[in-house]
Amino acid sequence: MASRPFGSNPAGAAEMSSILVVDDDPELRHVIRWALEEDGWAVETAADGQEALEQATQRRPRLVILDMGLPRLDGEGLAAGLRAVYGDALPILLITADGHAIDKARRVGARAHLSKPFEIDELCAAVQHTLGGQ
Amino acid sequence: MAPRAGKQTPADAGLRRILQANADGVVVVDQEGVVCYANPAAEQLFGRPAADLVGGTFGFPLVAGATTELDVIRPSGDTCVVEMRVVAIEWAGQPAYLATLRDVTDRRHAETERAELIREQARTIEIITQVAQAFASALDEDELAQAITDAGRELTGAQVGAFFYNVLDEQGEAYTRYTLSGTPREAFEEFPMPRDTPLFSPTFRGEGVVRLDDVTQDPRYGDNPPFYGVPAGHLPIRSYLAAPVISRSGEVLGELFFGHAEPGVFTARAEHLVAAITAQAAIALENARFHRAARDAVRMRDEFLAAASHDLKNPLGAVKGTAQLLQRVVRRSDLPEAERIIDGLRRIDVTVTRMTRLIDSLLDVTRVQMGRPLPLDRRPTDLVALARQVLDEQQPSADRHRLRLDARVPELVGVWDAARLERMLSNLVSNAIKYSPEGGEITVTVALETGAEPPRAALIVRDQGIGIPAADLSRIFTRFERGSNVVRRIPGTGIGLAAARQVVEQHGGRITVESQEGVGTTFTVWLPVAADPSSEATVELSSTK
């Protein structure tokens, strides 16, 4: 059975902000949303960096999961924009399609990183770990 | 014999008659060096009448029996070269010298000219040899163009040479570059490229060599705006030689121009030499072009591979994630055939993992081929656990094979890139399965060689498959190379082993293969247990070739 971290995301917290998933691949967005919603998280999605930054500026997400190669505004630009608005308090989880995720994660100040294609369990564990204290 | 000075004998008179008629110059000089006699031919040679010569000092050393050459200066200032033979005689009863003189000026000139010609030809051969070497070795178009221009200028004796040649850019569009010889580039930077004026157009059209003793006298010269002749500041050109460089297919690859401020400098020989080097130059330039096209194609292929591999990760991620999430859903349900569905979904998942490894290998190999570094993610890794995991994963796809782990130690921990080693071992095991279609046992041995310094891990993958022909063993670790007994029979890309070797070498290790056709194949991987940063640096450098 999938883990359901209700401890860290208690029932009744629906008004709390959600996780923002940014990826230009619609199927991958769908899969990530599905996995996170199974775990009880509220999820919003964006298809490019520009859209994500606008959404995140209107309503602060609790976590941003982003891909590096994004249209309009790339992952690095988006991360810089998010830092400008929220500082280091907003956690970022990076998902990249190449094997050199560590360098990139360090560059954008991500708390964790995953390489595509990732295991669903890995994704859920990384999200729970990042938001564990909240 | 008693001295009878001044007294002529009848014999002397006879001798004189003979000497008077001689075509060669003849002088008789006494022991004191005073001229006693000079014949008409000698008068002509020295440019002075006999009356002037006789009684005067001869002035040239005389050795009986010797032949010498004299440089004679006539009173008029003319010079000539005279060959002199000397014999001892008796003249008017006294011992004397008779010198026969022959004008050899023309012969001497001819000899000098021949020597010069030989020197010039030797120089020509030297230049052509140098140029041939440049043509044979240089694959860079600019370097070749410079060699052609320099050689042409030397061979023709031009003051200035220029070569305008067409190169193709990345889009295949032609544009013109130029090299100069005998003049700094700054001298020409102000001037536009030569245009298709009546003077230049035969060369642009590839119609052959144009040689003019004085271009300023040519009706085609200077009729064209804006310059009407050479632009101000341009070197003054009178002698003009222009030749097109034409490819084997008839395409004009470039135009060579030579100039000299003096008229009439370029000879027919210069024209022939230029025609000869342009023919060679065309071949060399075309080869350089082919070489560049091939290099560009390889680079484009590698870039495409990198981009395509990268783009495959997104759909794979979606497939893998969906398969895993569906497994969760089915596990929660009470569907009657839940186990079969879960098994199918698990197989989809494993297949995606295999595809991912293949793509990652391709990416790594391509990356190194493109000269980019491949940083290892080194952390403590247990090789025994890693081998067990790989064998567990592979067992479902090996229904005819028995996969066996032979661990000589309970655990073997080194500082390695776990993901890359897993990919490498996984590739060796799936190769073992693939190339033993009859089944059989596949053993993975993990051992620690403490005898080695530094201590190293040995990872041995042994199968009982079809084997690799001995002739192919040396090249199976090369990218896109495969055993000749499997090509077009068992599908494969030739990437796996190239990537395996790359990963092993980057860890400072070594991979070897032993095989016998029809008996089986054994791959052995040695890995230093401790990370040695120096070995990693070496591998990176040597792989960026």
Side-chain angles (χ1 to χ4, degrees):
Chain A
M1 279 298 280
S3 61
R4 287 177 172 265
F6 285 116
S8 59
N9 186 24
E15 73 279 9
M16 281 187 69
S17 59
S18 46
I19 295 171
L20 177 59
V21 174
V22 198
D23 198 304
D24 61 328
D25 187 308
E27 298 308 326
L28 212 57
R29 275 203 307 276
H30 176 79
V31 164
I32 297 172
R33 175 199 280 276
W34 181 1
L36 297 180
E37 285 180 348
E38 281 238 333
D39 276 7
W41 303 103
V43 177
E44 282 178 41
T45 60
D48 64 61
Q50 190 67 44
E51 188 190 328
L53 190 58
E54 280 162 20
Q55 261 175 261
T57 310
Q58 277 168 20
R59 217 153 60 96
R60 179 194 157 131
R62 59 193 312 173
L63 167 70
V64 179
I65 298 178
L66 60 87
D67 182 21
M68 280 308 279
L70 293 171
R72 293 216 282 171
L73 179 65
D74 70 7
E76 220 167 326
L78 172 58
L82 292 171
R83 292 272 168 262
V85 180
Y86 297 114
D88 289 339
L90 176 64
I92 292 174
L93 198 159
L94 186 68
I95 298 180
T96 61
D98 66 35
H100 306 280
I102 316 167
D103 306 344
K104 287 181 177 166
R106 211 169 283 146
R107 267 213 309 278
V108 303
R111 300 272 177 92
H113 64 86
L114 295 173
S115 293
K116 289 178 186 176
F118 48 83
E119 307 288 320
I120 293 296
D121 288 347
E122 272 181 333
L123 171 71
C124 294
V127 169
Q128 199 185 334
H129 180 257
T130 308
L131 296 178
Q134 294 181 20
Chain B
M1 209 184 287
R4 287 178 292 173
K7 192 173 172 214
Q8 283 194 9
T9 64
D12 286 342
L15 183 58
R16 267 174 197 263
R17 273 197 303 278
I18 296 165
L19 295 178
Q20 284 296 108
N22 203 320
D24 286 339
V26 176
V27 289
V28 176
V29 182
D30 70 13
Q31 294 284 9
E32 310 303 320
V34 176
V35 177
C36 314
Y37 169 81
N39 76 348
E43 290 180 303
Q44 237 179 348
L45 264 178
F46 290 105
R48 294 157 69 179
D52 260 19
L53 292 167
V54 173
T57 309
F58 184 57
F60 295 104
L62 294 162
V63 179
T67 302
T68 47
E69 271 189 12
L70 314 176
D71 285 313
V72 173
I73 304 171
R74 297 190 180 113
S76 66
D78 288 355
T79 59
C80 63
V81 182
V82 172
E83 189 183 81
M84 175 172 75
R85 287 199 184 86
V86 180
V87 290
I89 57 159
E90 194 173 290
W91 184 265
Q94 296 293 318
Y97 299 106
L98 184 142
T100 313
L101 305 157
R102 181 172 291 175
D103 187 339
V104 294
T105 311
D106 290 347
R107 199 177 78 196
R108 171 83 80 82
H109 276 177
E111 277 167 7
T112 313
E113 268 174 24
R114 197 178 315 139
E116 254 167 36
L117 193 66
I118 288 168
R119 261 199 304 279
E120 195 184 320
Q121 276 171 344
R123 180 74 194 127
T124 303
I125 289 167
E126 193 186 329
I127 294 167
I128 288 177
T129 309
Q130 281 169 1
V131 139
Q133 276 168 357
F135 287 0
S137 61
L139 282 172
D140 177 76
E141 284 157 299
D142 298 336
E143 203 181 309
L144 272 173
Q146 191 65 55
I148 293 161
T149 320
D150 289 343
R153 188 174 69 90
E154 276 219 60
L155 290 171
T156 56
Q159 283 176 323
V160 56
F163 182 30
F164 298 86
Y165 55 106
N166 309 315
V167 290
L168 301 177
D169 66 12
E170 300 222 334
Q171 278 71 49
E173 298 283 329
Y175 67 103
T176 304
R177 285 222 283 258
Y178 68 98
T179 58
L180 298 172
S181 183
T183 180
R185 205 169 173 89
E186 299 82 63
F188 272 82
E189 228 131 54
E190 301 290 306
F191 305 126
M193 298 280 176
R195 290 161 310 118
D196 196 0
T197 59
L199 177 64
F200 294 141
S201 70
T203 311
F204 285 141
R205 286 200 303 266
E207 283 171 9
V209 181
V210 176
R211 179 166 64 96
L212 300 171
D213 281 339
D214 190 346
V215 68
T216 61
Q217 301 303 306
D218 193 90
R220 290 167 294 187
Y221 176 82
D223 243 359
N224 307 284
F227 300 114
Y228 301 100
V230 292
H234 194 293
L235 281 160
I237 300 294
R238 302 284 290 279
S239 293
Y240 172 93
L241 183 59
V245 175
I246 305 166
S247 78
R248 281 159 285 191
S249 58
E251 185 194 349
V252 178
L253 300 174
E255 303 87 26
L256 267 169
F257 296 97
F258 298 102
H260 199 287
E262 297 295 320
V265 169
F266 301 134
T267 58
R269 183 168 172 274
E271 182 180 330
H272 290 142
L273 286 171
V274 165
I277 65 162
T278 54
Q280 296 299 311
I283 295 169
L285 275 174
E286 258 194 323
N287 286 345
R289 222 182 237 198
F290 291 145
H291 174 76
R292 195 153 65 96
R295 210 180 42 203
D296 287 351
V298 168
R299 189 176 46 74
M300 275 169 66
R301 180 199 63 194
D302 286 346
E303 278 171 6
F304 170 78
L305 277 180
S309 309
H310 190 268
D311 285 354
L312 284 168
K313 296 286 189 72
N314 274 335
L316 284 178
V319 172
K320 189 179 191 62
T322 306
Q324 290 181 357
L325 285 163
L326 282 174
Q327 282 183 65
R328 288 184 178 189
V329 173
V330 175
R331 283 209 176 91
R332 284 203 299 270
S333 74
D334 48 5
L335 286 171
E337 298 210 66
E339 279 316 308
R340 281 186 59 188
I341 297 171
I342 287 171
D343 182 58
L345 291 168
R346 207 176 45 76
R347 282 172 187 272
I348 291 174
D349 190 7
V350 168
T351 306
V352 170
T353 305
R354 275 176 40 210
M355 284 176 75
T356 307
R357 287 209 181 108
L358 207 64
I359 291 167
D360 283 337
S361 297
L362 190 59
L363 266 176
D364 273 5
V365 171
T366 307
R367 203 180 161 91
V368 169
Q369 201 78 18
M370 286 160 80
R372 300 196 186 143
L374 192 66
L376 291 182
D377 184 10
R378 284 177 181 272
R379 42 188 96 190
T381 304
D382 177 9
L383 208 53
V384 175
L386 188 139
R388 185 172 294 120
Q389 182 202 329
V390 167
L391 289 176
D392 284 351
E393 261 178 32
Q394 299 269 354
Q395 187 64 70
S397 51
D399 37 12
R400 287 190 221 170
H401 307 77
R402 200 163 76 81
L403 306 191
R404 195 168 69 83
L405 176 64
D406 172 19
R408 307 280 171 87
V409 281
E411 64 164 29
L412 207 175
V413 178
V415 188
W416 298 310
D417 185 325
R420 289 203 164 87
L421 284 194
E422 187 187 314
R423 200 193 300 153
M424 181 268 298
L425 180 59
S426 172
N427 180 262
L428 292 181
V429 173
S430 66
N431 272 355
I433 296 168
K434 183 157 91 174
Y435 298 121
S436 44
E438 307 289 321
E441 185 173 84
I442 291 161
T443 320
V444 175
T445 306
V446 183
L448 178 63
E449 253 191 69
T450 46
E453 185 54 47
R456 54 184 190 173
L459 189 62
I460 303 158
V461 180
R462 183 176 287 120
D463 69 46
Q464 301 172 330
I466 58 173
I468 303 163
D472 301 333
L473 282 175
S474 59
R475 49 179 197 87
I476 55 163
F477 291 111
T478 306
R479 186 167 74 145
F480 305 135
E481 294 280 2
R482 303 180 63 221
S484 56
N485 56 337
V486 299
V487 172
R488 279 181 284 277
R489 249 174 267 167
I490 301 178
T493 56
I495 282 294
L497 288 177
R501 180 171 73 172
Q502 197 170 289
V503 165
V504 170
E505 287 183 353
Q506 205 164 5
H507 278 87
R510 215 155 57 82
I511 184 167
T512 59
V513 59
E514 287 165 64
S515 185
Q516 204 179 335
E517 273 192 276
V519 176
T521 303
T522 303
F523 283 94
T524 307
V525 172
W526 280 283
L527 292 170
V529 172
D532 179 4
S534 65
S535 69
E536 207 167 304
T538 315
V539 170
E540 264 181 42
L541 279 179
S542 67
S543 3
T544 53
K545 273 181 284 192

